[in-house]
Amino acid sequence: MDFIEVRKGAFSVAEEFAALRRENRGDGACVMFVGSVRDFNAGAAVRGLKLEHYPGMTEKSLQDITADARAHWPLGRVRLLHRVGPLALQDDIVFVGVTSPHRQAAFAACQYIMDRLKTEAPFWKQESSETGDRWVAARESDKREMEKWG
């Protein structure tokens, strides 16, 4: 049971958690990750950001990432939401929620999905700062994290 959505509007972490658990008696583990807009990046202050994507291609990429996670771990439910458009400081950007019968699989799958999302999903991020707007390239640290998955 996968739920994948790219949206402009905010999401409720509590509602997403409830959806993962609702009538889900077979999974004993639920792991979630929520990424939010922070006020700094690469040593510079950030005032906000704008996320763009390629409709259709982005959703397909997220579906493929989720399918690959399912091929590696016994998963119950996966919920993956990612926002696009203008975002303010502290706005939630991404929600990844995974359930599994056991915690090890849920932890690993959640991190795997997030690592793949950061390095492969077609999103483009533009940060606003005191010195102007700038497009943000993929971080080397994110690429190194992906290497551990082979």
Side-chain angles (χ1 to χ4, degrees), residues 14-133:
E15 289 175 14
E16 296 309 320
F17 174 74
L20 285 167
R21 301 296 297 152
R22 188 174 302 117
E23 296 180 23
N24 185 359
R25 294 176 183 91
D27 292 329
C30 180
V31 173
M32 301 178 303
F33 173 83
V34 179
S36 305
V37 180
R38 61 180 183 235
D39 65 356
F40 69 94
N41 187 33
V46 173
R47 292 184 174 173
L49 63 87
K50 180 174 69 171
L51 282 158
E52 295 183 4
H53 77 299
Y54 192 96
M57 179 187 288
T58 303
E59 291 83 356
K60 173 72 168 104
S61 175
L62 300 178
Q63 290 167 356
D64 290 347
I65 290 168
T66 300
D68 287 348
R70 285 192 171 283
H72 286 89
W73 295 280
L75 304 179
R77 295 181 180 174
V78 176
R79 291 185 74 80
L80 172 52
L81 290 85
H82 204 295
R83 292 184 61 193
V84 293
L87 298 164
L89 295 178
Q90 296 186 311
D91 280 354
D92 293 331
I93 304 167
V94 60
F95 176 95
V96 177
V98 176
T99 68
S100 180
H102 303 287
R103 72 181 183 281
Q104 294 89 348
F107 274 115
C110 190
Q111 184 171 2
Y112 175 82
I113 291 169
M114 196 60 219
D115 287 347
R116 294 257 326 257
L117 189 151
K118 290 289 286 182
T119 57
E120 298 176 20
F123 290 101
W124 296 273
K125 182 167 49 171
Q126 184 181 50
E127 292 179 338
S128 298
S129 70
E130 296 173 355
T131 59
D133 294 345

